[in-house]
Amino acid sequence: MASAGDKPALRIATVNVNGIRAAYKRGMAEWLADREIDILCLQEVRAPDAIVRDLLGDEWHILHAEAEAKGRAGVAIASRTEPVAVREHIGEDYFALSGRWVEADFKVPVEGEEKILTVVSAYVHSGEVGTPKQDDKYRFLDVMAARLPVLAATSDYALIVGDLNVGHTTLDIKNWKGNVKRAGFLPEERAYFDRFFSDEIGYVDVARKLAGEVAGPYTWWSWRGQAFDNDAGWRIDYHMATPGLAERAVSAVVDRAETYDARFSDHAPVVVDYQF
């Protein structure tokens, strides 16, 4: 178990690796070795299952959904303890082979009882205005909006993490004024997140709750130009938790690399400790 203060906590991390093989060549293994993570959620894995298992190693229980399109998407959940149940797609046949959603149920101890924690690793489409890619993004968000209440109703705690490819508010994008007509910050996309984090669906944006109303902290920066050096980023990687779980979040950290050259992905991991 990880530690939060002097009490045990469950440490859950999410990161879009932008190709796990490339990430390992750039130093992902060194980051992972020192982080004492209990549950690791990955997006844009873009590798065959055998390679994923070889890179992560035998110490992890691995749930991995490859995309039908080779070299695209792919999501995974790697955990130190074995899940009690797993589901490999979001529940609609249209997205069954898209490699964008996996669910795993874990037993967690709460006040002498065993409760069920459902963890989802999700990779929402990036989209492109006026194209079928954007249509697929809205369709996926529609299915998410239906799935989230089901998870909240059937698990003691539910957590959706991953690259959700939408900046919710103006605090989540450094240069938001120039992006209001671009996929990732469209009003129609942001309205879904209004619903996710409202009383209607009822999830909590954990990193925002802990950080407060501040710019960022951003989780993605373009490889191009000076975006990383100038911290001109987007906050599009989330921990979305049911309220009871969000109350147990004691820290949220974006593991931003110290320098551009030290990055193993164009995304940075979001690491949250949950106190049980």
Side-chain angles (χ1 to χ4, degrees):
M1 299 289 278
S3 61
D6 57 356
K7 296 180 180 179
L10 186 70
R11 179 165 291 169
I12 302 178
T14 181
V15 59
N16 178 321
V17 293
N18 199 7
I20 193 169
R21 286 170 286 196
Y24 264 73
K25 288 178 181 178
R26 295 187 181 112
M28 179 179 166
E30 289 77 8
W31 164 78
L32 188 57
D34 296 331
R35 216 48 185 95
E36 296 185 326
I37 291 163
D38 297 301
I39 300 175
L40 173 66
C41 297
L42 307 176
Q43 302 86 45
E44 217 172 339
V45 174
R46 301 201 323 240
D49 190 68
I51 289 175
V52 174
R53 294 177 185 278
D54 182 60
L55 288 174
L56 287 173
D58 294 337
E59 64 268 29
W60 296 95
H61 298 274
I62 298 170
L63 169 64
H64 173 218
E66 292 182 53
E68 184 177 36
K70 299 301 179 186
R72 301 289 300 278
V75 289
I77 299 174
S79 55
R80 300 296 188 181
T81 59
E82 188 172 3
V84 296
V86 299
R87 293 165 296 279
E88 295 190 5
H89 65 87
I90 197 168
E92 182 181 310
D93 289 344
Y94 184 79
F95 295 115
L97 301 177
S98 64
R100 293 184 179 273
W101 186 275
V102 286
E103 302 176 2
D105 297 339
F106 299 92
K107 290 182 178 179
V108 292
V110 180
E111 298 172 357
E113 297 183 37
E114 283 190 333
K115 301 288 189 179
I116 294 296
L117 164 66
T118 297
V119 177
V120 176
S121 180
Y123 177 43
V124 174
H125 307 65
S126 56
E128 185 179 337
V129 174
T131 73
K133 293 180 180 180
Q134 194 67 27
D135 296 336
D136 280 351
K137 185 174 189 176
Y138 288 134
R139 182 168 181 171
F140 193 86
L141 290 169
D142 282 334
V143 180
M144 271 187 71
R147 185 63 181 154
L148 296 186
V150 174
L151 293 176
T154 55
S155 293
D156 297 299
Y157 305 101
L159 177 68
I160 291 80
V161 305
D163 176 5
L164 305 187
N165 261 317
V166 176
H168 182 207
T169 76
T170 57
L171 295 174
D172 297 321
I173 300 181
K174 178 71 171 286
N175 299 319
W176 66 267
K177 290 181 180 179
N179 286 287
V180 291
K181 295 183 179 181
R182 291 184 58 196
F185 200 61
L186 297 171
E188 297 87 348
E189 296 172 333
R190 295 160 60 201
Y192 282 93
F193 286 71
D194 291 341
R195 293 176 61 203
F196 296 161
F197 300 132
S198 73
D199 291 341
E200 178 190 354
I201 294 180
Y203 280 70
V204 177
D205 183 345
V206 173
R208 174 59 65 218
K209 177 179 181 286
L210 292 174
E213 296 298 301
V214 300
Y218 307 122
T219 64
W220 175 83
W221 305 261
S222 172
W223 286 117
R224 301 189 299 272
Q226 300 296 310
F228 184 80
D229 293 336
N230 295 332
D231 200 24
W234 295 46
R235 191 178 76 94
I236 54 176
D237 301 87
Y238 291 82
H239 281 234
M240 298 193 341
T242 47
L245 180 60
E247 288 299 319
R248 295 181 175 276
V250 293
S251 71
V253 177
V254 176
D255 282 359
R256 187 182 191 273
E258 292 186 7
T259 65
Y260 179 98
D261 292 341
R263 307 164 75 189
F264 65 80
S265 171
D266 51 352
H267 293 252
V270 182
V271 184
V272 179
D273 285 356
Y274 295 91
Q275 185 70 62
F276 287 98

